[in-house]
Amino acid sequence: MILVAGGAGYIGSHLVKELVEKEEVLVLDNLSTGHLESVDERATFIQADIGDFNHLDTIFSEYPIRAVMHFAASSLVGESVIDPKKYYANNVGATLNLLNVMVKHRVGRMIFSSTAATYGTPNIEYIDESVPLNPINPYGKSKRMIEEILEDYAKAYDFRFVSLRYFNAAGAHESSVIGESHEPETHLIPIVLEQLAGFREKVSIFGTNYDTPDGTCIRDYIHVTDLANAHILALDNLLSSDSKSAIFNLGNGQGYSVREIIETCEKVTGLQCIVENCEKRPGDPARLVASARKIEQVFGWKAEHNLEEIIESAWNWHREKRF
Ligand code: UDP
């Protein structure tokens, strides 16, 4: 059985939908931001907080858990600057608790959700895993701290991990049953689609004089199902007897500016977006684009969805489920 912590969240619930096809899945989620209705009904669900040692201890005694996939975290950069204690408690403290229950019960395999925010603001075209880490906000720092703890646990205990550094996850499941829904929404693609559907007055473009071809920030958008499939490959690998701990970037390897995202949303929907040019958002690097070469070479993973497909899937889900 595979334990998925945070399996009711955006990325976790998409992973669970793929994983239930081949494994027994136990989802834990405290439902602080996740949605119970997003959890595939083939999975077992327990409402639990990974910071609760005694509850986890009981769960690990009752279920034959072979590995943990850990998505449960707070993940908003801006909020982490305003409320760092929340980020260090949820992302570091609670994860440490989960790790210590794993060690106690000799469950020595973890797939960890990390982030491109661990790199900070590298002035480089394609970021590979050798780029120096210099996270500039508590969110990125909290994720890097756990990677360091994982590295030490792997040296000391019978413990192996794969850490996946996500770039910009986007899109929705092809069934349109689950998709991206945050409250409040801060991510670009859902915000643009909400505007196009008439639920927002306008889209604010945060910064128009960056050192990029059209002056707006460039990001690497990866379909959430491509992301989920990378986790399945990483898990298969981690459960093999000769696996090694490793860290991988997870992105498409292609950069799109904020204006290009808005244009593509307009093209996919046939609607016109109302935008306003605004000040830069603090802490936003001009360009964050992955080199995904390492995960392609080691796991044979390849992103299968392009930007239009990402936006189409998001639009289909928004129309069916939210509007
Ligand atoms: N962005 C924007 N307007 C918005 C939301 C986001 O211009 O209403 C920009 C943001 O500054 C960044 C890019 O869109 O350059 C992607 O932001 P998002 O919050 O989706 O992801 P992040 O890269 O911060 O993880």
Side-chain angles (χ1 to χ4, degrees):
M1 179 169 244
I2 308 297
L3 186 152
V4 181
Y10 171 46
I11 299 173
S13 63
H14 283 79
L15 173 275
V16 168
K17 269 229 172 304
E18 307 302 322
L19 192 61
V20 288
E21 301 285 345
K22 50 184 295 191
E23 297 276 358
E24 291 278 305
V25 179
L26 172 62
V27 171
L28 304 191
D29 202 298
N30 66 6
L31 298 180
S32 60
T33 55
H35 309 277
L36 183 53
E37 64 275 16
S38 299
V39 180
D40 191 289
E41 55 195 20
R42 289 166 286 178
T44 304
F45 177 80
I46 299 177
Q47 184 166 356
D49 194 307
I50 56 163
D52 182 341
F53 187 93
N54 291 335
H55 197 183
L56 288 191
D57 198 25
T58 310
I59 292 167
F60 274 72
S61 301
E62 281 176 8
Y63 292 89
I65 297 164
R66 292 196 295 147
V68 172
M69 304 180 88
H70 178 26
F71 298 85
S74 302
S75 62
L76 297 177
V77 167
E79 185 189 51
S80 80
V81 176
I82 295 163
D83 192 5
K85 71 178 181 342
K86 174 175 174 182
Y87 280 69
Y88 292 118
N90 288 351
N91 296 3
V92 182
T95 298
L96 193 54
N97 192 56
L98 171 62
L99 283 169
N100 291 343
V101 176
M102 288 175 67
V103 171
K104 179 178 174 196
H105 289 266
R106 297 195 166 80
V107 177
R109 302 288 181 271
M110 176 181 269
I111 310 278
F112 177 62
S113 297
S114 188
T115 169
T118 53
Y119 293 110
T121 54
N123 190 12
I124 187 165
E125 206 173 349
Y126 295 99
I127 299 167
D128 69 26
E129 294 80 354
S130 69
V131 167
L133 299 167
N134 190 17
I136 58 163
N137 49 61
Y139 169 61
K141 287 181 193 172
S142 71
K143 290 289 184 174
R144 179 56 197 154
M145 284 176 192
I146 293 299
E147 287 185 346
E148 290 186 327
I149 292 169
L150 291 171
E151 284 161 358
D152 288 341
Y153 276 39
K155 282 180 203 146
Y157 310 124
D158 176 13
F159 189 90
R160 294 178 215 160
F161 71 92
V162 170
S163 179
L164 298 171
R165 291 184 181 149
Y166 308 156
F167 284 66
N168 289 57
H173 195 261
E174 60 176 3
S175 64
S176 298
V177 169
I178 51 174
E180 183 174 15
S181 163
H182 299 106
E183 195 51 59
E185 190 52 77
T186 61
H187 294 104
L188 181 63
I189 291 176
I191 282 178
V192 173
L193 296 179
E194 283 171 14
Q195 200 294 312
L196 291 170
F199 290 88
R200 276 175 194 267
E201 214 180 301
K202 57 199 169 195
V203 173
S204 305
I205 299 182
F206 297 143
T208 52
N209 64 349
Y210 280 98
D211 184 16
T212 58
D214 69 15
T216 65
C217 284
I218 294 176
R219 295 286 179 277
D220 178 333
Y221 296 85
I222 170 171
H223 195 289
V224 65
T225 300
D226 285 331
L227 206 71
N229 287 334
H231 286 73
I232 307 267
L233 291 174
L235 179 70
D236 284 348
N237 189 276
L238 197 58
L239 290 174
S240 69
S241 56
D242 58 348
S243 65
K244 289 195 178 63
S245 296
I247 297 179
F248 298 95
N249 285 343
L250 254 186
N252 253 323
Q254 273 178 27
Y256 293 96
S257 73
V258 173
R259 287 202 197 284
E260 285 173 324
I261 294 297
I262 293 170
E263 280 162 19
T264 312
C265 289
E266 290 178 329
K267 186 173 160 208
V268 165
T269 61
L271 298 164
Q272 197 165 2
C273 190
I274 302 166
V275 301
E276 66 169 351
N277 296 338
C278 293
E279 290 300 304
K280 290 179 178 174
R281 197 171 62 174
D284 260 348
R287 178 185 165 95
L288 276 180
V289 181
S291 159
R293 283 258 297 282
K294 184 176 172 190
I295 193 161
E296 288 171 6
Q297 282 169 357
V298 177
F299 293 155
W301 173 85
K302 195 124 189 71
E304 282 169 11
H305 297 83
N306 62 27
L307 184 64
E308 283 194 21
E309 291 166 338
I310 290 172
I311 292 172
E312 253 163 37
S313 69
W315 180 240
N316 290 341
W317 178 77
H318 273 79
R319 275 197 309 189
E320 278 194 32
K321 287 285 163 185
R322 304 202 53 227
F323 301 152

